[in-house]
Amino acid sequence: MHTVWKGAISFGLVHVPVKMFSATEDKDISMRYIHKTCITPLSYVRKCQTCEKEVEWEEISKGYEYEPGRFVLFEKDELETISGEANKEIKILDFVNLTDIDPVYFQKTYYLGPGDTGAGAYNLLLDSMRQTGKIGIAKVSIRSKSSLAAIRVIENCLAMETIFYPDEIRPISQVPNLPDKVTVNEREMEMAKMLINQLSTPFEPEKYKDEYRGRLLEAIEHKVAGEEIQSAPALQKTSVIDLMAALQASLDATKSDGTGTDGKVTLEQDASVSEVKKPKAKTPRAKKAKEPIT
């Protein structure tokens, strides 16, 4: 793993040297913009509109536009001083329960490994947090950005989750068309709860796959081989049924196969439900193009 940051966790007067590693990786398939005429990747140039020339990185500063067309400039070391990044410290302010934090606050996860020194302090913090069941709320500055963070234990490793500040979370009141008062039919409620219970299972992340990425990789392989891609026909909507019927059909399907519904149901705007039947399965075949793509 590549070290993305070095510093220390502090709580009280205790100092715990750590190294930071990204806990996640983006597996999106990267696509480049291509000029279709000559199949050349497009490049993006840092060009000054006044000087009409390309600008090198050493000639670039960051600036804030306080009035239209007027800027105050900041150099990298100035921003680091303002943000507190120079001290390389993850300062724990409080210890709280993980369940107290709504998931909407979480941003990105990092693993925190022990530094070159201070393994004893690392182990002490890790085990004491594990035994108390608490997580630490901390402040940290990374890449000239100050952030709140949650320090917690994952197996035998400390982890840091960057989290949003409260004023960065949009209020729910801004969501349009939310009901003033929620009223539901009692029978529908009972059936909905039964359906939820039948579909409930322990969380097993390994069973969830990125199906889009798999299909895209397969399509790339076909195109590299000079073949055309044929897509399966889209699902077609059929008869409209009421909510009770949709719930009952869903319950019956989960009882019959033990996994979930074979067809799909989608809510309409008027709270009715459209039942969607699957078309007959067809195996998509790739046809060879007349002229291979190079």
Side-chain angles (χ1 to χ4, degrees), residues 32-36 38-44:
R32 298 184 65 178
Y33 285 107
I34 305 294
H35 185 197
K36 291 193 290 186
C38 60
I39 319 299
T40 301
L42 300 180
S43 61
Y44 293 88

Side-chain angles (χ1 to χ4, degrees), residues 244-259:
M244 282 292 292
L247 288 166
Q248 187 61 59
S250 300
L251 285 167
D252 292 343
T254 58
K255 289 175 182 176
S256 63
D257 62 20
T259 56

Side-chain angles (χ1 to χ4, degrees), residues 6 11 54 139 180 203 223 266:
K6 289 183 181 180
F11 64 111
E54 186 175 350
K139 278 191 174 183
D180 295 327
F203 179 54
K223 282 184 173 287
T266 55

Side-chain angles (χ1 to χ4, degrees), residues 236-241 268 273-277:
Q236 299 297 319
K237 290 186 177 182
T238 56
S239 58
V240 176
I241 57 179
E268 301 288 354
V273 176
S274 294
E275 182 182 20
V276 180
K277 295 182 179 179

Side-chain angles (χ1 to χ4, degrees), residues 64-71:
Y64 176 76
E65 189 173 14
Y66 63 95
E67 290 179 4
R70 303 193 68 182
F71 298 86

Side-chain angles (χ1 to χ4, degrees), residues 180-196:
D180 295 327
K181 185 180 180 181
V182 178
T183 56
V184 295
N185 179 283
E186 286 299 322
R187 286 191 62 206
E188 293 174 350
M189 172 64 74
E190 288 303 315
M191 294 183 71
K193 290 193 291 187
M194 288 174 60
L195 181 57
I196 290 172

Side-chain angles (χ1 to χ4, degrees), residues 150-161:
I151 310 299
R152 65 188 185 97
V153 175
I154 300 179
E155 297 181 8
N156 64 336
C157 180
L158 290 174
M160 185 185 83
E161 316 262 3

